[in-house]
Amino acid sequence: MSLWQSFKSWLSVNNSGTANPASWLVEWFRGSESDSGIAMDTKTALSYAPIWYAINKIAGHVGQMPCVLHERKDERRKVKALRHPSYRVMKVRPNKMMTPFMFKETLTAHAILNGNGRAVIEKNNRNDVISLVPLLPDRTVTVLMNDEKWHVTTNPETGDKTKFPDRDVVHIPGLAYDGIVGYSVIDQIKNSVGLGLAGEKQANRHFKNNSTPGLVLEAPPGTFRREEDARKFLSDWNSYHTGLENANKTALLRDGIKATSLSVNARDSQWIEQRKFQRQEAALWMMLEQILGDDSSVSYNSLEQKNLAYLTNCLNKWLVKWEEELNDKLLTDSQKRNEQYFFKFNTGALLKGTTKERYEVYAIGRQIGVLSANDVREREDMEPIENGDNYDNPAIVLPDTKDSPEQSDSPSDAPTQSNAPAATDRERRLVSSRLKELLTLEGHRVTAAAGKEKNFLAWMDQFYSDEAFGGRIASVYSTLGASGATETHITQSKTILLDLCSTCTRDAFVSTVDAATSEWHMRADSLATTVLTYE
């Protein structure tokens, strides 16, 4: 039987019916009961709106970001490995039924909710990877046999079990106590989700069978001697006052009838607060910092900072797990030893800010030589332009001496002299020494903030403002006679820190920042050159 025939049989439930259901089907629908009495399984958990939102958000973003196989040409240069078989599997078509987006989204959803996302690796006769076939988590277990890791899936038609060695399976685990099998999140969150679903059921029963009216009419004894008269009065009242077209009509009550408006009582108010808390608790389970669907709980200075915090604190751990697993399972032993190829997610799409924010970053990148005009145009889905691959700062225009009358091919001619006097070695050393002191102090301040500031990006913006350390930097450059170089200094520092925020986890952030800032004094020589050549 081929792998795809097996895959279809794994999805089939033809032999399971109400008279003789398969054991996995019974367990699937029965689930694990929570303390609130709600039976919990995958389908029940996904019926709870906060869980549905969180799973869709995280898994959808992992699916959205391209995971590209790169080939290293040298220490600094890399290119897309277009000819590698594994490149096509992850970028073009993982299997016959799924696009790359659907495949990554599905396995990530399995990993988040069930604790383990698995896909069998199918290879051809040349040992090239040709497809990745998902294994459904409710029918697959991961076990250790003879000190080796295996994945065992059950065929629902026959009950037969198929074993796959770990080397033939892409395995994305969630949090794992033993480092091998991820915890089933359904088992962990069953009480939280069960409480939320119980609250929904209570509300549904309340509005279906015991809904509290918004207005009560109190009639003196004997006003309505027959029930038909009371019913007719209420019918006339409702027909006259209900509906949009009857809003704000004046009411007239006779015979001593009084109207009493009913507001939300303390018990109902607590129930509403409980519903909000359940949403926040669901966010905590999924490592989301804010209440699901509510932007008022956490504020950020920009859309880019908000997405960066989400990427750092939630998504990055899943992206790293994907990258490490694909590097281990979809590359040959020699390719892994030589570190010739590597998978990497492109998070640029998620970190795209507003048009104004993007263009400000592009301008900085052009000034410090990180981006060319064509690099910027590529990020904006625009066609390249001629001579657009130059990385020189467009704000600096160098004199064109090609056709200068003073220029001569004769070796005896004296070299062309600049109008500005050349800086002496002593001047360069003095400027460099002053800038080293400034950079060392700046590095100490940044490292200290990395260890104690909860919102580092907000702190960084304030730190480099004119009212804070940014003013001190400006004062130093003003003393050196190059006020315009202040922006170059601050731009370099912020670019380095933003790059660290997007590439390392929160746990490693402090040590990474400390290592980076300890070398900032090495920037003094290049900045000194900027100061001494500044006009």
Side-chain angles (χ1 to χ4, degrees), residues 159-174:
D160 295 338
K161 299 183 183 299
T162 305
K163 298 187 299 183
F164 298 98
D166 185 59
R167 65 176 178 273
D168 293 335
V169 176
V170 171
H171 181 207
I172 310 296

Side-chain angles (χ1 to χ4, degrees), residues 339-388:
E339 297 184 351
Q340 179 183 2
Y341 294 92
F342 65 95
F343 282 93
K344 187 69 178 176
F345 275 93
N346 180 7
T347 61
L350 182 65
L351 293 179
K352 260 191 176 181
T354 63
T355 302
K356 180 176 181 294
E357 291 170 347
R358 295 200 311 273
Y359 277 59
E360 287 175 349
V361 172
Y362 294 154
I364 294 172
R366 295 281 281 122
Q367 290 174 10
I368 65 176
V370 174
L371 297 174
S372 68
N374 282 340
D375 291 335
V376 174
R377 295 178 67 85
E378 181 181 2
R379 284 163 172 75
E380 293 296 313
D381 296 325
M382 302 169 68
E383 293 294 324
I385 60 174
E386 187 177 357
N387 300 323

Side-chain angles (χ1 to χ4, degrees), residues 275-285 288 291-292:
R275 295 275 290 156
K276 290 182 179 179
F277 174 77
Q278 290 305 124
R279 291 168 58 198
Q280 189 172 25
E281 194 172 55
L284 294 176
W285 280 110
L288 296 172
I291 297 176
L292 302 178

